[in-house]
Amino acid sequence: MTNTVKAAHQKELFGHPVGLYILFFTEMWERFSYYGMRALLVLYMTTETIGDERGAGLGWTSKEALALYGWYTMLVYVASIPGGMIADKILGQKKSVLLGAIILCLGHGVLVLTDTWAFYTGLGLVILGVGLLKPNISTMVGGLYKEGDIRRDKGFSIFYIGINLGSLLATMIIGGVVANWGWHAGFGLAGIAMVFGLLNYVYGQKFLKEVGNYVPNKIDENEVSYGKLYAKLFSSPKQLVIVAILLIASIYGWYTLDWGFGLLFIFLTAITALLVMIYKDLDSQVFKDRFLVLLLSFIMVIIFWGAFEQAGGLMNLYTETNTDRNLFGWEIPTVMFQSLNAGFIILFATLIASIWAKRKLKGKEASSLFKMALGIIIMGFGFLFMVFAAIEFEKSGSSSMIWLVLAYLFHTIGELCISPVALSFITKLAPVKYASLMMGVYFAATGLGNKVAGIVGESASEYGELTIFSGIVIFTVIFGLLFIMILKPLKRLTHGAEEKERVLKNDEAEGFELVEN
């Protein structure tokens, strides 16, 4: 298992452990590489279709490109589940992050090549690398803080700034690189950024000595391997029936839908089997209730990212083809609009985190579940501006870029209410021996949301952007309100996991402890 054992005296910087900033910059460069390539991906695949002059692309249709975009962005995050398992049972979080960073460097390096095999191989390596790095580096951030430390949420918000600083730098710089030197130069720059991230992580090991290590606990009789959990399934009738039904549905999906969906359904059935057995294995009702709340919160995650990730797909194509991007005689590259989200996050992340912390200290509603539901509603309102953009385009043949700016602003505020909050929420509720796995499940939920985004984006070719944007507004607002309506019973199931948060005194905040939920 991966124990988070905290050292007696942590060195701090700006009120937070120095290790936070090592993880900050590692994640910043990793996200530079990821979001830089993400911003190029759909445009690169549709280059010849759109009539671009940035070099030879794949010449796919928008529907084909959005389909692959959905699969890729889903698998990047679904791979976090095996990545979390590997950390929990084999390598530990720290070594898993290191291995993931190395694989990512290789993946982006392969994407520099122009051959078709290199394109698919590079994407595959990026999927594996992110799967190992993403869930485990986030879990390590949570391990830097003592249980009940109100700085934890703010620490995750600072960490989240690193994610978006990387995204901002990538989307501001890579567009210009591609315009001058072509698509594969952009892919190469993403690889160089990942090398910087790897070097930073290796250098910072001295500040992470006691965090994320794999410590096999031979004395703990309750430690159960994933293999044994699967084996116990056959002596658990209720759980076996649930899994059997899902497996039959998966096989049916294999034959009625694309084979890729069949494989996905079977994989999700295997993960569901593991989750129901973990639930049964938990030794108290408090742990079981918290585990259930986590799984329910992942539904919000799927819905949020299913809408939000239109940014890299449908909204990206809409910006390219339907938006007037002329600013004082200069046509703004489409990729640069992706930087709006990151820029807004850097401006508002700590402010919004501070507002929520002050509400909490004043005894006002500021639970993670409330923040997440509100985040979905705010993000949904952002698509209202895309509705206005689509209406303007239908009337005049072009739409103002101001609608995009406003949409990204609301999307960002919504994201700040759900994404860093969800990361922190998992570290509060997840049983420590399954911490990395549950972080992996969270990112898998994010991945499923990405796939939903791809499917929704594909349907725009049939129903039109106006219909899709309007549908997203209606669905997200209704869904967020439903979760707010059931907020009280959900909070009861957390058994006060967030009620003890406070500003710790210096002697309380110093040092690490083993966090056992």
Side-chain angles (χ1 to χ4, degrees), residues 478-509:
I478 292 176
F479 188 86
L481 290 173
L482 286 174
F483 258 87
I484 289 177
M485 289 172 62
I486 61 172
L487 183 63
K488 287 186 178 180
L490 287 179
K491 285 177 63 177
R492 283 197 295 269
L493 290 176
T494 66
H495 295 277
E498 298 184 294
E499 292 176 3
K500 298 179 182 178
E501 291 181 328
R502 64 198 188 282
V503 178
L504 299 184
K505 298 177 181 179
N506 289 335
D507 57 341
E508 289 183 290

PDB file of all heavy atoms in Angstrom, residues 478-509:
ATOM      1  N   ILE A 478     -30.359  21.791 -14.944  1.00  0.00           N
ATOM      2  CA  ILE A 478     -31.298  20.895 -14.265  1.00  0.00           C
ATOM      3  C   ILE A 478     -30.558  19.878 -13.415  1.00  0.00           C
ATOM      4  O   ILE A 478     -30.924  19.610 -12.261  1.00  0.00           O
ATOM      5  CB  ILE A 478     -32.203  20.182 -15.300  1.00  0.00           C
ATOM      6  CG1 ILE A 478     -33.153  21.197 -15.957  1.00  0.00           C
ATOM      7  CG2 ILE A 478     -33.006  19.063 -14.640  1.00  0.00           C
ATOM      8  CD1 ILE A 478     -34.009  20.609 -17.061  1.00  0.00           C
ATOM      9  N   PHE A 479     -29.494  19.308 -13.942  1.00  0.00           N
ATOM     10  CA  PHE A 479     -28.735  18.287 -13.221  1.00  0.00           C
ATOM     11  C   PHE A 479     -28.102  18.870 -11.956  1.00  0.00           C
ATOM     12  O   PHE A 479     -28.140  18.249 -10.887  1.00  0.00           O
ATOM     13  CB  PHE A 479     -27.650  17.704 -14.131  1.00  0.00           C
ATOM     14  CG  PHE A 479     -26.944  16.510 -13.552  1.00  0.00           C
ATOM     15  CD1 PHE A 479     -27.462  15.239 -13.712  1.00  0.00           C
ATOM     16  CD2 PHE A 479     -25.768  16.663 -12.840  1.00  0.00           C
ATOM     17  CE1 PHE A 479     -26.817  14.134 -13.165  1.00  0.00           C
ATOM     18  CE2 PHE A 479     -25.110  15.577 -12.292  1.00  0.00           C
ATOM     19  CZ  PHE A 479     -25.639  14.302 -12.457  1.00  0.00           C
ATOM     20  N   GLY A 480     -27.508  20.068 -12.070  1.00  0.00           N
ATOM     21  CA  GLY A 480     -26.907  20.697 -10.902  1.00  0.00           C
ATOM     22  C   GLY A 480     -27.924  20.986  -9.812  1.00  0.00           C
ATOM     23  O   GLY A 480     -27.670  20.777  -8.625  1.00  0.00           O
ATOM     24  N   LEU A 481     -29.112  21.445 -10.215  1.00  0.00           N
ATOM     25  CA  LEU A 481     -30.171  21.723  -9.241  1.00  0.00           C
ATOM     26  C   LEU A 481     -30.647  20.451  -8.534  1.00  0.00           C
ATOM     27  O   LEU A 481     -30.953  20.471  -7.340  1.00  0.00           O
ATOM     28  CB  LEU A 481     -31.351  22.415  -9.944  1.00  0.00           C
ATOM     29  CG  LEU A 481     -31.098  23.859 -10.401  1.00  0.00           C
ATOM     30  CD1 LEU A 481     -32.278  24.366 -11.219  1.00  0.00           C
ATOM     31  CD2 LEU A 481     -30.839  24.782  -9.211  1.00  0.00           C
ATOM     32  N   LEU A 482     -30.692  19.343  -9.261  1.00  0.00           N
ATOM     33  CA  LEU A 482     -31.100  18.079  -8.654  1.00  0.00           C
ATOM     34  C   LEU A 482     -30.137  17.670  -7.545  1.00  0.00           C
ATOM     35  O   LEU A 482     -30.557  17.200  -6.479  1.00  0.00           O
ATOM     36  CB  LEU A 482     -31.187  16.981  -9.718  1.00  0.00           C
ATOM     37  CG  LEU A 482     -32.381  17.040 -10.673  1.00  0.00           C
ATOM     38  CD1 LEU A 482     -32.258  15.982 -11.765  1.00  0.00           C
ATOM     39  CD2 LEU A 482     -33.689  16.854  -9.907  1.00  0.00           C
ATOM     40  N   PHE A 483     -28.845  17.835  -7.761  1.00  0.00           N
ATOM     41  CA  PHE A 483     -27.871  17.481  -6.732  1.00  0.00           C
ATOM     42  C   PHE A 483     -27.964  18.410  -5.532  1.00  0.00           C
ATOM     43  O   PHE A 483     -27.763  17.987  -4.385  1.00  0.00           O
ATOM     44  CB  PHE A 483     -26.448  17.484  -7.297  1.00  0.00           C
ATOM     45  CG  PHE A 483     -25.939  16.096  -7.581  1.00  0.00           C
ATOM     46  CD1 PHE A 483     -26.188  15.477  -8.793  1.00  0.00           C
ATOM     47  CD2 PHE A 483     -25.223  15.400  -6.631  1.00  0.00           C
ATOM     48  CE1 PHE A 483     -25.737  14.194  -9.053  1.00  0.00           C
ATOM     49  CE2 PHE A 483     -24.758  14.115  -6.868  1.00  0.00           C
ATOM     50  CZ  PHE A 483     -25.023  13.509  -8.082  1.00  0.00           C
ATOM     51  N   ILE A 484     -28.274  19.680  -5.757  1.00  0.00           N
ATOM     52  CA  ILE A 484     -28.453  20.599  -4.632  1.00  0.00           C
ATOM     53  C   ILE A 484     -29.668  20.194  -3.806  1.00  0.00           C
ATOM     54  O   ILE A 484     -29.656  20.296  -2.569  1.00  0.00           O
ATOM     55  CB  ILE A 484     -28.596  22.047  -5.150  1.00  0.00           C
ATOM     56  CG1 ILE A 484     -27.241  22.539  -5.694  1.00  0.00           C
ATOM     57  CG2 ILE A 484     -29.079  22.979  -4.041  1.00  0.00           C
ATOM     58  CD1 ILE A 484     -27.274  23.918  -6.299  1.00  0.00           C
ATOM     59  N   MET A 485     -30.695  19.676  -4.460  1.00  0.00           N
ATOM     60  CA  MET A 485     -31.905  19.242  -3.756  1.00  0.00           C
ATOM     61  C   MET A 485     -31.637  18.059  -2.812  1.00  0.00           C
ATOM     62  O   MET A 485     -32.287  17.919  -1.776  1.00  0.00           O
ATOM     63  CB  MET A 485     -32.992  18.877  -4.771  1.00  0.00           C
ATOM     64  CG  MET A 485     -33.576  20.070  -5.508  1.00  0.00           C
ATOM     65  SD  MET A 485     -34.692  19.591  -6.849  1.00  0.00           S
ATOM     66  CE  MET A 485     -35.977  18.736  -5.923  1.00  0.00           C
ATOM     67  N   ILE A 486     -30.677  17.202  -3.172  1.00  0.00           N
ATOM     68  CA  ILE A 486     -30.382  16.041  -2.319  1.00  0.00           C
ATOM     69  C   ILE A 486     -29.090  16.246  -1.520  1.00  0.00           C
ATOM     70  O   ILE A 486     -28.476  15.293  -1.043  1.00  0.00           O
ATOM     71  CB  ILE A 486     -30.283  14.739  -3.156  1.00  0.00           C
ATOM     72  CG1 ILE A 486     -29.156  14.829  -4.193  1.00  0.00           C
ATOM     73  CG2 ILE A 486     -31.610  14.446  -3.834  1.00  0.00           C
ATOM     74  CD1 ILE A 486     -28.883  13.524  -4.918  1.00  0.00           C
ATOM     75  N   LEU A 487     -28.693  17.502  -1.375  1.00  0.00           N
ATOM     76  CA  LEU A 487     -27.427  17.818  -0.722  1.00  0.00           C
ATOM     77  C   LEU A 487     -27.380  17.343   0.739  1.00  0.00           C
ATOM     78  O   LEU A 487     -26.392  16.758   1.179  1.00  0.00           O
ATOM     79  CB  LEU A 487     -27.186  19.329  -0.789  1.00  0.00           C
ATOM     80  CG  LEU A 487     -25.865  19.830  -0.201  1.00  0.00           C
ATOM     81  CD1 LEU A 487     -24.687  19.243  -0.976  1.00  0.00           C
ATOM     82  CD2 LEU A 487     -25.822  21.359  -0.245  1.00  0.00           C
ATOM     83  N   LYS A 488     -28.449  17.589   1.500  1.00  0.00           N
ATOM     84  CA  LYS A 488     -28.441  17.256   2.935  1.00  0.00           C
ATOM     85  C   LYS A 488     -28.234  15.762   3.189  1.00  0.00           C
ATOM     86  O   LYS A 488     -27.383  15.395   4.016  1.00  0.00           O
ATOM     87  CB  LYS A 488     -29.727  17.755   3.585  1.00  0.00           C
ATOM     88  CG  LYS A 488     -29.769  19.269   3.744  1.00  0.00           C
ATOM     89  CD  LYS A 488     -31.004  19.712   4.517  1.00  0.00           C
ATOM     90  CE  LYS A 488     -31.001  21.226   4.716  1.00  0.00           C
ATOM     91  NZ  LYS A 488     -32.199  21.696   5.465  1.00  0.00           N
ATOM     92  N   PRO A 489     -28.987  14.872   2.533  1.00  0.00           N
ATOM     93  CA  PRO A 489     -28.727  13.445   2.786  1.00  0.00           C
ATOM     94  C   PRO A 489     -27.335  13.004   2.345  1.00  0.00           C
ATOM     95  O   PRO A 489     -26.722  12.140   2.984  1.00  0.00           O
ATOM     96  CB  PRO A 489     -29.817  12.722   1.989  1.00  0.00           C
ATOM     97  CG  PRO A 489     -30.363  13.733   1.031  1.00  0.00           C
ATOM     98  CD  PRO A 489     -30.186  15.055   1.694  1.00  0.00           C
ATOM     99  N   LEU A 490     -26.812  13.604   1.276  1.00  0.00           N
ATOM    100  CA  LEU A 490     -25.460  13.252   0.840  1.00  0.00           C
ATOM    101  C   LEU A 490     -24.421  13.699   1.869  1.00  0.00           C
ATOM    102  O   LEU A 490     -23.466  12.973   2.157  1.00  0.00           O
ATOM    103  CB  LEU A 490     -25.161  13.896  -0.519  1.00  0.00           C
ATOM    104  CG  LEU A 490     -25.870  13.296  -1.740  1.00  0.00           C
ATOM    105  CD1 LEU A 490     -25.495  14.055  -2.996  1.00  0.00           C
ATOM    106  CD2 LEU A 490     -25.541  11.819  -1.905  1.00  0.00           C
ATOM    107  N   LYS A 491     -24.614  14.891   2.428  1.00  0.00           N
ATOM    108  CA  LYS A 491     -23.678  15.383   3.440  1.00  0.00           C
ATOM    109  C   LYS A 491     -23.704  14.497   4.689  1.00  0.00           C
ATOM    110  O   LYS A 491     -22.663  14.288   5.322  1.00  0.00           O
ATOM    111  CB  LYS A 491     -24.015  16.826   3.806  1.00  0.00           C
ATOM    112  CG  LYS A 491     -23.615  17.848   2.750  1.00  0.00           C
ATOM    113  CD  LYS A 491     -24.038  19.254   3.125  1.00  0.00           C
ATOM    114  CE  LYS A 491     -23.356  19.736   4.377  1.00  0.00           C
ATOM    115  NZ  LYS A 491     -23.733  21.139   4.703  1.00  0.00           N
ATOM    116  N   ARG A 492     -24.877  13.998   5.035  1.00  0.00           N
ATOM    117  CA  ARG A 492     -24.955  13.103   6.198  1.00  0.00           C
ATOM    118  C   ARG A 492     -24.112  11.850   5.983  1.00  0.00           C
ATOM    119  O   ARG A 492     -23.517  11.313   6.920  1.00  0.00           O
ATOM    120  CB  ARG A 492     -26.411  12.724   6.478  1.00  0.00           C
ATOM    121  CG  ARG A 492     -27.214  13.826   7.160  1.00  0.00           C
ATOM    122  CD  ARG A 492     -28.483  13.278   7.780  1.00  0.00           C
ATOM    123  NE  ARG A 492     -29.409  12.758   6.776  1.00  0.00           N
ATOM    124  CZ  ARG A 492     -30.353  13.483   6.193  1.00  0.00           C
ATOM    125  NH1 ARG A 492     -30.491  14.766   6.504  1.00  0.00           N
ATOM    126  NH2 ARG A 492     -31.174  12.935   5.300  1.00  0.00           N
ATOM    127  N   LEU A 493     -24.072  11.385   4.748  1.00  0.00           N
ATOM    128  CA  LEU A 493     -23.308  10.170   4.442  1.00  0.00           C
ATOM    129  C   LEU A 493     -21.794  10.382   4.525  1.00  0.00           C
ATOM    130  O   LEU A 493     -21.042   9.409   4.565  1.00  0.00           O
ATOM    131  CB  LEU A 493     -23.681   9.660   3.052  1.00  0.00           C
ATOM    132  CG  LEU A 493     -25.101   9.068   2.903  1.00  0.00           C
ATOM    133  CD1 LEU A 493     -25.369   8.689   1.452  1.00  0.00           C
ATOM    134  CD2 LEU A 493     -25.286   7.853   3.809  1.00  0.00           C
ATOM    135  N   THR A 494     -21.344  11.644   4.524  1.00  0.00           N
ATOM    136  CA  THR A 494     -19.899  11.897   4.674  1.00  0.00           C
ATOM    137  C   THR A 494     -19.467  11.818   6.133  1.00  0.00           C
ATOM    138  O   THR A 494     -18.268  11.807   6.429  1.00  0.00           O
ATOM    139  CB  THR A 494     -19.518  13.284   4.123  1.00  0.00           C
ATOM    140  OG1 THR A 494     -20.123  14.304   4.927  1.00  0.00           O
ATOM    141  CG2 THR A 494     -19.950  13.437   2.673  1.00  0.00           C
ATOM    142  N   HIS A 495     -20.434  11.776   7.056  1.00  0.00           N
ATOM    143  CA  HIS A 495     -20.151  11.631   8.489  1.00  0.00           C
ATOM    144  C   HIS A 495     -19.157  12.678   8.993  1.00  0.00           C
ATOM    145  O   HIS A 495     -18.205  12.372   9.705  1.00  0.00           O
ATOM    146  CB  HIS A 495     -19.639  10.228   8.802  1.00  0.00           C
ATOM    147  CG  HIS A 495     -20.665   9.156   8.554  1.00  0.00           C
ATOM    148  ND1 HIS A 495     -21.640   8.825   9.470  1.00  0.00           N
ATOM    149  CD2 HIS A 495     -20.889   8.356   7.459  1.00  0.00           C
ATOM    150  CE1 HIS A 495     -22.413   7.862   8.975  1.00  0.00           C
ATOM    151  NE2 HIS A 495     -21.985   7.568   7.762  1.00  0.00           N
ATOM    152  N   GLY A 496     -19.395  13.929   8.573  1.00  0.00           N
ATOM    153  CA  GLY A 496     -18.606  15.043   9.106  1.00  0.00           C
ATOM    154  C   GLY A 496     -17.176  15.096   8.638  1.00  0.00           C
ATOM    155  O   GLY A 496     -16.326  15.686   9.317  1.00  0.00           O
ATOM    156  N   ALA A 497     -16.873  14.529   7.467  1.00  0.00           N
ATOM    157  CA  ALA A 497     -15.486  14.507   6.984  1.00  0.00           C
ATOM    158  C   ALA A 497     -14.920  15.907   6.786  1.00  0.00           C
ATOM    159  O   ALA A 497     -13.703  16.110   6.870  1.00  0.00           O
ATOM    160  CB  ALA A 497     -15.403  13.733   5.671  1.00  0.00           C
ATOM    161  N   GLU A 498     -15.793  16.878   6.524  1.00  0.00           N
ATOM    162  CA  GLU A 498     -15.324  18.246   6.279  1.00  0.00           C
ATOM    163  C   GLU A 498     -15.659  19.194   7.416  1.00  0.00           C
ATOM    164  O   GLU A 498     -15.317  20.374   7.358  1.00  0.00           O
ATOM    165  CB  GLU A 498     -15.941  18.778   4.982  1.00  0.00           C
ATOM    166  CG  GLU A 498     -15.540  17.991   3.750  1.00  0.00           C
ATOM    167  CD  GLU A 498     -16.098  18.597   2.465  1.00  0.00           C
ATOM    168  OE1 GLU A 498     -17.319  18.598   2.292  1.00  0.00           O
ATOM    169  OE2 GLU A 498     -15.290  19.058   1.643  1.00  0.00           O
ATOM    170  N   GLU A 499     -16.306  18.709   8.454  1.00  0.00           N
ATOM    171  CA  GLU A 499     -16.762  19.594   9.528  1.00  0.00           C
ATOM    172  C   GLU A 499     -15.647  20.003  10.480  1.00  0.00           C
ATOM    173  O   GLU A 499     -15.758  20.982  11.199  1.00  0.00           O
ATOM    174  CB  GLU A 499     -17.892  18.929  10.312  1.00  0.00           C
ATOM    175  CG  GLU A 499     -19.172  18.774   9.495  1.00  0.00           C
ATOM    176  CD  GLU A 499     -20.252  18.017  10.247  1.00  0.00           C
ATOM    177  OE1 GLU A 499     -20.011  17.675  11.434  1.00  0.00           O
ATOM    178  OE2 GLU A 499     -21.321  17.768   9.661  1.00  0.00           O
ATOM    179  N   LYS A 500     -14.549  19.245  10.504  1.00  0.00           N
ATOM    180  CA  LYS A 500     -13.461  19.547  11.448  1.00  0.00           C
ATOM    181  C   LYS A 500     -12.395  20.446  10.850  1.00  0.00           C
ATOM    182  O   LYS A 500     -11.390  20.734  11.504  1.00  0.00           O
ATOM    183  CB  LYS A 500     -12.808  18.235  11.920  1.00  0.00           C
ATOM    184  CG  LYS A 500     -13.766  17.315  12.680  1.00  0.00           C
ATOM    185  CD  LYS A 500     -13.057  16.034  13.083  1.00  0.00           C
ATOM    186  CE  LYS A 500     -14.007  15.087  13.805  1.00  0.00           C
ATOM    187  NZ  LYS A 500     -13.338  13.812  14.174  1.00  0.00           N
ATOM    188  N   GLU A 501     -12.598  20.888   9.615  1.00  0.00           N
ATOM    189  CA  GLU A 501     -11.585  21.722   8.982  1.00  0.00           C
ATOM    190  C   GLU A 501     -11.490  23.075   9.683  1.00  0.00           C
ATOM    191  O   GLU A 501     -12.490  23.687  10.026  1.00  0.00           O
ATOM    192  CB  GLU A 501     -11.912  21.920   7.495  1.00  0.00           C
ATOM    193  CG  GLU A 501     -11.764  20.664   6.688  1.00  0.00           C
ATOM    194  CD  GLU A 501     -12.073  20.887   5.226  1.00  0.00           C
ATOM    195  OE1 GLU A 501     -12.918  21.731   4.921  1.00  0.00           O
ATOM    196  OE2 GLU A 501     -11.447  20.213   4.392  1.00  0.00           O
ATOM    197  N   ARG A 502     -10.262  23.523   9.892  1.00  0.00           N
ATOM    198  CA  ARG A 502     -10.024  24.769  10.600  1.00  0.00           C
ATOM    199  C   ARG A 502      -8.632  25.269  10.258  1.00  0.00           C
ATOM    200  O   ARG A 502      -7.859  24.584   9.586  1.00  0.00           O
ATOM    201  CB  ARG A 502     -10.124  24.541  12.114  1.00  0.00           C
ATOM    202  CG  ARG A 502      -9.042  23.598  12.644  1.00  0.00           C
ATOM    203  CD  ARG A 502      -9.398  23.044  13.997  1.00  0.00           C
ATOM    204  NE  ARG A 502      -8.315  22.298  14.585  1.00  0.00           N
ATOM    205  CZ  ARG A 502      -7.991  21.050  14.250  1.00  0.00           C
ATOM    206  NH1 ARG A 502      -8.651  20.428  13.293  1.00  0.00           N
ATOM    207  NH2 ARG A 502      -7.001  20.427  14.850  1.00  0.00           N
ATOM    208  N   VAL A 503      -8.316  26.451  10.728  1.00  0.00           N
ATOM    209  CA  VAL A 503      -6.957  26.973  10.591  1.00  0.00           C
ATOM    210  C   VAL A 503      -6.120  26.354  11.694  1.00  0.00           C
ATOM    211  O   VAL A 503      -6.373  26.571  12.885  1.00  0.00           O
ATOM    212  CB  VAL A 503      -6.937  28.514  10.715  1.00  0.00           C
ATOM    213  CG1 VAL A 503      -5.505  29.023  10.613  1.00  0.00           C
ATOM    214  CG2 VAL A 503      -7.801  29.140   9.635  1.00  0.00           C
ATOM    215  N   LEU A 504      -5.118  25.549  11.308  1.00  0.00           N
ATOM    216  CA  LEU A 504      -4.302  24.861  12.314  1.00  0.00           C
ATOM    217  C   LEU A 504      -3.237  25.785  12.885  1.00  0.00           C
ATOM    218  O   LEU A 504      -2.706  26.651  12.194  1.00  0.00           O
ATOM    219  CB  LEU A 504      -3.624  23.628  11.690  1.00  0.00           C
ATOM    220  CG  LEU A 504      -4.546  22.540  11.129  1.00  0.00           C
ATOM    221  CD1 LEU A 504      -3.702  21.375  10.640  1.00  0.00           C
ATOM    222  CD2 LEU A 504      -5.561  22.070  12.152  1.00  0.00           C
ATOM    223  N   LYS A 505      -2.916  25.575  14.161  1.00  0.00           N
ATOM    224  CA  LYS A 505      -1.809  26.306  14.767  1.00  0.00           C
ATOM    225  C   LYS A 505      -0.503  25.777  14.201  1.00  0.00           C
ATOM    226  O   LYS A 505      -0.437  24.691  13.625  1.00  0.00           O
ATOM    227  CB  LYS A 505      -1.843  26.117  16.292  1.00  0.00           C
ATOM    228  CG  LYS A 505      -3.111  26.669  16.934  1.00  0.00           C
ATOM    229  CD  LYS A 505      -3.110  26.397  18.428  1.00  0.00           C
ATOM    230  CE  LYS A 505      -4.398  26.916  19.068  1.00  0.00           C
ATOM    231  NZ  LYS A 505      -4.435  26.632  20.533  1.00  0.00           N
ATOM    232  N   ASN A 506       0.571  26.539  14.407  1.00  0.00           N
ATOM    233  CA  ASN A 506       1.856  26.153  13.823  1.00  0.00           C
ATOM    234  C   ASN A 506       2.291  24.756  14.235  1.00  0.00           C
ATOM    235  O   ASN A 506       2.781  23.974  13.431  1.00  0.00           O
ATOM    236  CB  ASN A 506       2.946  27.168  14.233  1.00  0.00           C
ATOM    237  CG  ASN A 506       2.762  28.498  13.538  1.00  0.00           C
ATOM    238  OD1 ASN A 506       2.160  28.551  12.461  1.00  0.00           O
ATOM    239  ND2 ASN A 506       3.267  29.568  14.140  1.00  0.00           N
ATOM    240  N   ASP A 507       2.114  24.408  15.510  1.00  0.00           N
ATOM    241  CA  ASP A 507       2.570  23.102  15.974  1.00  0.00           C
ATOM    242  C   ASP A 507       1.694  21.982  15.435  1.00  0.00           C
ATOM    243  O   ASP A 507       2.119  20.842  15.311  1.00  0.00           O
ATOM    244  CB  ASP A 507       2.624  23.036  17.499  1.00  0.00           C
ATOM    245  CG  ASP A 507       1.268  23.349  18.129  1.00  0.00           C
ATOM    246  OD1 ASP A 507       0.425  23.952  17.441  1.00  0.00           O
ATOM    247  OD2 ASP A 507       1.072  22.993  19.308  1.00  0.00           O
ATOM    248  N   GLU A 508       0.427  22.315  15.103  1.00  0.00           N
ATOM    249  CA  GLU A 508      -0.459  21.311  14.524  1.00  0.00           C
ATOM    250  C   GLU A 508      -0.143  21.104  13.053  1.00  0.00           C
ATOM    251  O   GLU A 508      -0.190  20.001  12.546  1.00  0.00           O
ATOM    252  CB  GLU A 508      -1.924  21.760  14.651  1.00  0.00           C
ATOM    253  CG  GLU A 508      -2.475  21.727  16.040  1.00  0.00           C
ATOM    254  CD  GLU A 508      -3.940  22.128  16.032  1.00  0.00           C
ATOM    255  OE1 GLU A 508      -4.229  23.305  15.782  1.00  0.00           O
ATOM    256  OE2 GLU A 508      -4.786  21.242  16.266  1.00  0.00           O
ATOM    257  N   ALA A 509       0.156  22.211  12.356  1.00  0.00           N
ATOM    258  CA  ALA A 509       0.368  22.144  10.908  1.00  0.00           C
ATOM    259  C   ALA A 509       1.698  21.514  10.563  1.00  0.00           C
ATOM    260  O   ALA A 509       1.870  20.958   9.495  1.00  0.00           O
ATOM    261  CB  ALA A 509       0.298  23.549  10.303  1.00  0.00           C
TER     262      ALA A 509
END
